């Protein structure tokens, strides 16, 4: 399911409170360099609603590569914390409202493009 | 006359300490601790010391070349990290894996779960000062490694579960060896219970330490043994059966207390279930081919898949995006350790310094797994 960036907060609130999607699995980023877009995908499941354990919804949003700013969903799902931090450092996507966007895995003095962007080429390639 | 002291008891009594990254008990991983005397005020995990860029590496290699390097993050649990990848690629290619391969995948994945849990319980034992259990676990673990070696050919990194099935068939004598190991291990499990889990010293160190409530576990995204020790009955093998799990009978052990003891005991109970699963699977395994012919460079149709399985530590999932070329466009690995890492600062709150290793190890975190 792809939603516009402006609506993701309301949609995620509705998923959590209205439909019972309370267990965030992971946050993934995809660099669609040909379309000049980043995609951020939240995978959310439900544990409290019986019969929904085998169901995962993917909540995606797309932002232009030149200005990648999306709202952070940490206050909806706390579990998004480290996943959003990782997506931030690996793609350079800015999660607005995230309490701490410092580097999680990369060295503090990383001085190059975010490494999972398609235009970053690993040394020796 | 009194002199106003510049000493500020509130600020100066807090001491910042770094646990790791060279600490032998923390793995290649650091936790920043803020201590007030003997108690923890705040903690902040600082991973990244063993980050290898598995996801970027995956984009440079084709779907078969990805198999051996993807199991490096969790060499203890190497079959379980490859299983969701293989399931994902199978789903993208729309291929049906032969039933014998489904059973072999199940057997290997359960053997790996036992190998991983034994290592976990051994290390936890040594950190509460119980040095017998680490000797027992490391010694007995070798019998399971022997069993896995007879199927997979290697002792640690098997590269056994591949897209389209498994790499090779199991030799006939592995069945007999496996059933023997199961019978022997069932008796051994009773002994672990007596010497370790019902040991008053172990109980004293772990009961009521690092409590995680069920609602917090769900909110913080906990998974695997950490989640089930808090009373949430969620296991993908039962809730979303894959491979041969639908045909096999087993329980999902759950405990209610959510403390360090429960997290360790759930892993112990899971080993019992794994033995049951292996025994049934070895008896029920159907004959037939074990892999599909994919060739060295399979073409995977364009598409997107989210595949997940229950690994030893919890839910292991992959988000694979294919653009129709022989290499994945994006390969996101989501490991259970990273999910449980978010829980760590929460259950470490107000802990006693001496309890930090106990709480940390009761979560069964694996630094290389969350760094990838």
């Amino acid at each position: 399911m792809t939603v516009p960036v402006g609506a993701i907060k309301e949609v995620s609130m509705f998923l959590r409170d209205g439909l019972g999607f309370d267990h965030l699995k992971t946050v993934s980023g995809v660099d669609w360099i040909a379309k000049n877009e980043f995609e951020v995908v939240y995978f959310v499941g439900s544990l409290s609603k019986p019969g929904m354990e085998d169901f995962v919804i993917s909540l995606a949003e797309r932002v232009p590569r030149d200005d990648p700013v999306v709202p952070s969903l940490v206050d909806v799902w706390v579990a998004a914390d480290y996943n959003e931090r990782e997506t931030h450092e690996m793609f350079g996507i800015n999660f607005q409202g995230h309490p701490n966007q410092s580097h999680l895995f990369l060295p503090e003095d990383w001085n190059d493009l975010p490494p999972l962007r398609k235009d970053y080429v690993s040394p020796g390639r | 006359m009194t002199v106003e002291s510049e000493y500020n008891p509130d600020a100066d009594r807090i001491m910042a300490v770094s646990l790791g990254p060279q600490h032998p008990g923390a793995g290649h991983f650091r936790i920043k601790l803020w201590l007030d005397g003997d108690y923890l005020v705040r903690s902040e995990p600082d991973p990244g010391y063993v980050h290898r860029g598995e996801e970027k590496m995956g984009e440079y290699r084709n779907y078969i070349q990805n198999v051996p390097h993807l199991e490096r993050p969790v060499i203890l649990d190497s079959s379980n990290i490859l299983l969701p990848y293989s399931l994902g690629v199978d789903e993208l290619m729309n291929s049906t894996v032969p039933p014998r391969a489904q059973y072999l995948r199940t057997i290997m994945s359960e053997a790996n779960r036992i190998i991983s849990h034994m290592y976990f319980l051994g290390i936890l034992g040594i950190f509460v000062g119980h040095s017998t259990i680490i000797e027992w676990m490391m010694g007995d673990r070798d019998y399971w490694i022997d069993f896995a070696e007879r199927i997979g050919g290697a002792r640690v990194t098997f590269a056994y579960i591949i897209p389209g099935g498994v790499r090779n068939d199991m030799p006939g004598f592995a069945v007999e060896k496996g059933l023997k190991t199961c019978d022997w291990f069932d008796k051994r499990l009773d002994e672990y219970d007596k010497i370790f889990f019902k040991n008053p010293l172990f109980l004293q160190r772990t009961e009521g330490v690092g409590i995680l409530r069920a609602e917090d576990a769900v909110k913080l995204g906990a998974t695997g043994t950490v989640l089930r020790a808090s009373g949430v009955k969620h296991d993908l093998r039962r809730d979303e059966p894959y491979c041969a799990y639908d045909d096999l009978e087993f329980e999902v052990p759950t405990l209610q207390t959510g403390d360090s003891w429960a997290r360790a005991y759930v892993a112990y109970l899971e080993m019992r279930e794994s033995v049951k699963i292996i025994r049934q699977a070895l008896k029920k395994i159907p004959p037939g081919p074990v892999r599909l012919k994919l060739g060295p460079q399979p073409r995977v149709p364009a598409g997107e898949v989210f595949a997940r399985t229950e690994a030893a530590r919890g839910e292991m999932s992959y988000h694979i995006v294919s653009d129709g070329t022989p290499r994945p466009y994006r390969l996101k690995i989501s490991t259970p350790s990273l999910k449980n890492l978010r829980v760590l600062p929460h259950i470490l709150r107000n802990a006693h310094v001496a309890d930090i290793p106990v709480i940390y190890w009761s979560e069964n975190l694996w630094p290389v797994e969350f760094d990838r």
Side-chain angles (χ1 to χ4, degrees):
Chain A
M1 175 166 81
T2 305
V3 291
V5 176
I8 192 145
K9 201 126 190 187
E10 284 91 80
V11 174
S12 59
M13 286 286 206
F14 173 69
L15 283 177
R16 188 193 67 177
D17 299 330
L19 299 178
F21 283 92
D22 52 1
H23 195 248
L24 184 103
K25 307 293 178 190
T26 189
V27 181
S28 173
V30 187
D31 180 5
W32 296 105
I33 193 162
K35 293 179 191 157
N36 201 29
E37 275 178 335
F38 283 127
E39 187 179 16
V40 183
V41 197
Y42 292 82
F43 291 96
V44 203
S46 170
L47 294 188
S48 48
K49 275 223 169 147
M52 292 243 292
E53 290 95 347
D54 59 343
F55 201 74
V56 173
I57 199 159
S58 74
L59 184 66
E61 55 186 339
R62 288 191 178 226
V63 280
R65 273 178 117 254
D66 322 312
D67 182 27
V69 182
V70 294
S72 165
L73 299 188
V74 168
D75 35 0
V76 184
W77 294 296
V78 189
D81 186 355
Y82 289 178
N83 290 302
E84 282 185 354
R85 252 172 97 180
E86 188 192 350
T87 312
H88 166 73
E89 65 178 351
M90 295 298 174
F91 290 93
I93 297 168
N94 191 4
F95 288 89
Q96 235 165 17
H98 192 286
N100 174 15
Q101 290 202 57
S102 61
H103 283 172
L104 188 66
F105 296 129
L106 289 181
E108 284 140 33
D109 55 353
W110 179 263
N111 191 17
D112 206 330
L113 279 172
L116 279 181
R117 285 192 182 186
K118 285 285 172 187
D119 45 358
Y120 174 81
V121 181
S122 302
R125 289 280 167 179
Chain B
M1 194 181 101
T2 53
V3 181
E4 283 281 312
S5 165
E6 281 184 13
Y7 168 70
N8 176 357
D10 290 333
D12 288 356
R13 57 188 291 170
I14 305 293
M15 183 168 65
V17 186
S18 176
L19 179 75
Q22 294 95 352
H23 188 270
H28 314 287
F29 162 64
R30 181 167 81 127
I31 320 174
K32 287 183 243 170
L33 308 170
W34 283 267
L35 303 173
D36 179 357
D38 222 8
Y39 288 90
L40 198 66
V41 183
R42 194 161 84 83
S43 63
E44 201 186 306
D46 177 21
Y49 290 90
V50 273
H51 180 72
R52 308 172 182 192
E54 290 283 345
E55 294 177 2
K56 189 78 178 176
M57 253 196 289
E59 292 173 9
Y60 286 119
R61 286 163 175 76
N62 74 37
Y63 287 91
I64 297 296
Q65 286 173 321
N66 269 330
V67 167
H69 84 83
L70 278 180
E71 62 180 5
R72 257 61 195 175
V74 224
I75 54 168
L76 281 178
D77 197 15
S78 51
S79 295
N80 279 321
I81 193 170
L82 279 179
L83 186 51
Y85 171 73
S86 305
L87 290 176
V89 178
D90 289 343
E91 197 180 323
L92 276 174
M93 296 183 74
N94 215 355
S95 48
T96 316
V97 176
R100 189 173 175 83
Q102 304 276 26
Y103 270 80
L104 284 170
R105 281 177 172 185
T106 310
I107 294 170
M108 208 53 176
S109 141
E110 290 307 312
N112 245 198
R113 190 183 314 276
I114 296 179
I115 292 169
S116 173
H117 279 346
M118 291 183 85
Y119 190 89
F120 154 51
L121 294 173
I123 297 284
L124 177 65
I126 197 79
F127 278 99
V128 295
H130 195 298
S131 46
T132 309
I133 198 73
I134 188 166
E135 311 287 343
W136 281 24
M137 289 291 179
M138 293 298 149
D140 294 352
R141 197 172 150 256
D142 252 52
Y143 290 98
W144 283 110
I145 295 179
D146 281 349
F147 168 64
E149 187 187 5
R150 276 168 176 75
I151 300 175
R155 290 184 69 78
V156 184
T157 45
F158 311 102
Y160 186 65
I161 296 174
I162 55 169
V166 295
R167 210 185 57 241
N168 55 276
D169 201 351
M170 145 174 93
F173 60 86
V175 176
E176 193 194 340
K177 159 88 184 162
L179 290 173
K180 247 188 208 168
T181 312
C182 285
D183 292 341
W184 160 82
F185 195 62
D186 261 344
K187 284 182 217 134
R188 261 322 248 177
L189 280 169
D190 296 334
E191 293 174 19
Y192 299 153
D193 198 27
K194 276 182 223 153
I195 201 167
F196 190 51
F197 294 102
K198 300 283 152 50
N199 186 322
L201 283 176
F202 181 63
L203 285 168
Q204 226 171 38
R205 287 298 307 275
T206 51
E207 260 189 330
V209 171
I211 291 180
L212 178 68
R213 286 175 210 294
E215 63 266 28
D216 293 337
V218 174
K219 228 181 260 172
L220 293 167
T223 172
T225 46
V226 178
L227 185 66
R228 289 191 285 275
S230 295
V232 183
K233 198 167 187 149
H234 177 63
D235 190 321
L236 287 174
R237 292 175 292 168
R238 189 205 57 169
D239 294 338
E240 195 187 274
Y242 49 92
C243 292
Y245 286 108
D246 225 2
D247 305 340
L248 307 169
E249 274 173 36
F250 61 99
E251 299 285 313
V252 179
T254 318
L255 294 173
Q256 301 299 324
T257 45
D259 55 2
S260 301
W261 186 83
R263 285 191 281 277
Y265 203 61
V266 156
Y268 164 79
L269 295 173
E270 271 182 36
M271 290 203 292
R272 273 199 188 284
E273 300 305 317
S274 296
V275 173
K276 259 200 231 166
I277 295 172
I278 293 176
R279 192 182 283 130
Q280 290 174 51
L282 283 173
K283 285 180 183 160
K284 270 182 146 175
I285 187 163
V290 294
R291 67 189 279 192
L292 304 170
K293 280 210 170 65
L294 294 185
Q297 185 136 306
R299 288 221 166 250
V300 176
E304 200 172 327
V305 72
F306 180 73
R308 53 183 191 151
T309 62
E310 191 76 27
R313 291 178 176 75
E315 189 178 319
M316 181 83 77
S317 54
Y318 280 79
H319 176 214
I320 308 171
V321 181
S322 166
D323 57 350
T325 57
R327 292 167 186 168
Y329 187 76
R330 169 84 169 109
L331 187 69
K332 162 84 187 169
I333 317 164
S334 166
T335 55
S337 280
L338 186 64
K339 294 171 195 165
N340 288 338
L341 183 68
R342 185 62 189 80
V343 179
L344 186 66
H346 177 77
I347 55 175
L348 274 178
R349 280 167 320 137
N350 306 330
H352 210 273
V353 171
D355 288 337
I356 294 171
V358 178
I359 297 176
Y360 170 69
W361 274 105
S362 74
E363 267 216 74
N364 196 4
L365 294 173
W366 193 250
V368 200
E369 193 185 271
F370 49 68
D371 280 3
R372 285 154 291 141

